[in-house]
Amino acid sequence: GDSVTQTEGLVTLTKGLPVMLNCTYQTTYSPFLFWYVQHLNEAPKLLLKSSTDNKRTEHQGFYATLHKSSSSFHLQKSSVQLSDSALYFCAVSGSFNKLTFGAGTRLAVCP
Amino acid sequence: GPKVLQIPSHQIIDMGQMVTLNCDPVSNHLYFYWYKQILGQQMEFLVNFYNGKVMEKSKLFKDQFSVERPDGSYFTLKIQPTALEDSAVYFCASSLVPGLGVRYEQYFGPGTRLTVL
């Protein structure tokens, strides 16, 4: 079946520094990848979705590029803010559009 | 943006009782999902539903689980009877109808925290 690996459980950074959250996947389908962000006690919200192979997608300062050759869709931001502190999930869409999620990465941004 | 509502936000019940979790999806969405998240773990797919039918279900979707959406009303997840291991947060989601080679993002509700005693 499909699977998603997020290697970092917790990332702690100082405000203004760059960040990269890793996401690799396995799927038997054509890959459609998503990043969701979840703030405490809130619904997960879509942050980014993949486009075509090797094309970067951006939203709210975050960006990611789907690389089929390495089965990756890493999330990046050049300068993190305090408000970026949240839980980030990478997910792959499989049969009937069901999502398979990674374990999530908690991003903690310090002043 | 589009919102998915879930009622109730919390539910505490005794093991063996029945519980119904309610979801009010985005108004023009016709594809619905339930996911389960145990504290500290990742969200896991339970089931999806379209045109009155279950399209796919995972092994977590036990025989005690059922879903339905009577016309114009909530999309519901019913558990009867409940077990201790059903304690989790249940998230509802909805999307436009996916097609061959087309995937639409899912919009999630805030979740229902179910505690089975």
Side-chain angles (χ1 to χ4, degrees), chain A residues 4 29-32 34 36 38 41-46 49 87 89 93-104, chain B residues 31 33 35 37 40-45 48 55-56 91 95-96 98 101-111 113:
Chain A
V4 173
Y29 300 88
S30 185
F32 291 87
F34 300 88
Y36 281 85
Q38 186 178 24
N41 296 324
E42 293 185 10
K45 292 177 189 168
L46 180 69
K49 60 181 177 180
L87 193 53
F89 290 102
S93 175
S95 58
F96 299 104
N97 207 34
K98 74 175 183 191
L99 291 177
T100 298
F101 286 88
Chain B
Y31 222 81
Y33 315 78
Y35 292 85
Q37 185 178 38
Q41 298 182 23
Q42 67 209 76
M43 261 194 292
E44 294 188 273
F45 170 78
N48 51 17
M55 305 304 292
E56 187 172 358
F91 289 95
S95 74
L96 296 173
V102 178
R103 295 286 189 270
Y104 294 106
E105 59 264 38
Q106 295 176 29
Y107 291 84
F108 284 82
R113 183 175 298 277

Side-chain angles (χ1 to χ4, degrees), chain B:
Chain B
K3 283 200 183 303
V4 174
L5 304 177
Q6 289 188 242
I7 301 164
S9 56
H10 293 83
Q11 181 84 54
I12 300 173
I13 58 171
D14 291 322
M15 183 176 62
Q17 285 190 314
M18 181 193 78
V19 67
T20 300
L21 310 184
N22 299 293
C23 172
D24 189 10
V26 175
S27 60
N28 63 331
H29 287 179
L30 296 176
Y31 222 81
F32 313 118
Y33 315 78
W34 283 103
Y35 292 85
K36 178 182 180 181
Q37 185 178 38
I38 294 174
L39 188 64
Q41 298 182 23
Q42 67 209 76
M43 261 194 292
E44 294 188 273
F45 170 78
L46 283 175
V47 67
N48 51 17
F49 187 84
Y50 167 64
N51 199 25
K53 298 175 197 162
V54 169
M55 305 304 292
E56 187 172 358
K57 57 186 180 182
S58 74
K59 62 180 186 292
L60 295 178
F61 194 78
K62 303 179 295 184
D63 291 344
Q64 298 91 321
F65 288 41
S66 62
V67 290
E68 64 175 355
R69 194 195 186 201
D71 289 342
S73 63
Y74 293 134
F75 174 52
T76 63
L77 172 67
K78 185 185 292 187
I79 309 174
Q80 181 179 25
T82 50
L84 294 176
E85 61 265 27
D86 297 331
S87 293
V89 179
Y90 290 84
F91 289 95
C92 172
S94 69
S95 74
L96 296 173
V97 179
L100 189 62
V102 178
R103 295 286 189 270
Y104 294 106
E105 59 264 38
Q106 295 176 29
Y107 291 84
F108 284 82
T112 294
R113 183 175 298 277
L114 176 66
T115 302
V116 182
L117 302 176

Side-chain angles (χ1 to χ4, degrees), chain A residues 6-89:
Chain A
Q6 293 181 247
T7 50
E8 309 97 356
L10 171 66
V11 172
T12 305
L13 283 174
T14 303
K15 182 179 72 170
L17 290 180
V19 66
M20 185 169 85
L21 306 184
N22 291 312
C23 172
T24 55
Y25 64 89
Q26 286 188 318
T27 181
T28 53
Y29 300 88
S30 185
F32 291 87
L33 274 292
F34 300 88
W35 276 101
Y36 281 85
V37 58
Q38 186 178 24
H39 290 93
L40 194 61
N41 296 324
E42 293 185 10
K45 292 177 189 168
L46 180 69
L47 184 57
L48 284 176
K49 60 181 177 180
S50 63
S51 181
T52 51
D53 195 17
N54 298 314
K55 184 174 178 182
R56 177 162 139 163
T57 56
E58 300 188 37
H59 184 61
Q60 296 181 337
F62 287 91
Y63 58 95
T65 303
L66 178 66
H67 291 297
K68 291 183 182 180
S69 59
S70 57
S71 299
S72 67
F73 189 58
H74 305 319
L75 181 68
Q76 299 183 71
K77 191 175 187 184
S78 56
S79 174
V80 294
Q81 305 304 308
L82 294 175
S83 58
D84 295 328
S85 295
L87 193 53
Y88 292 80
F89 290 102

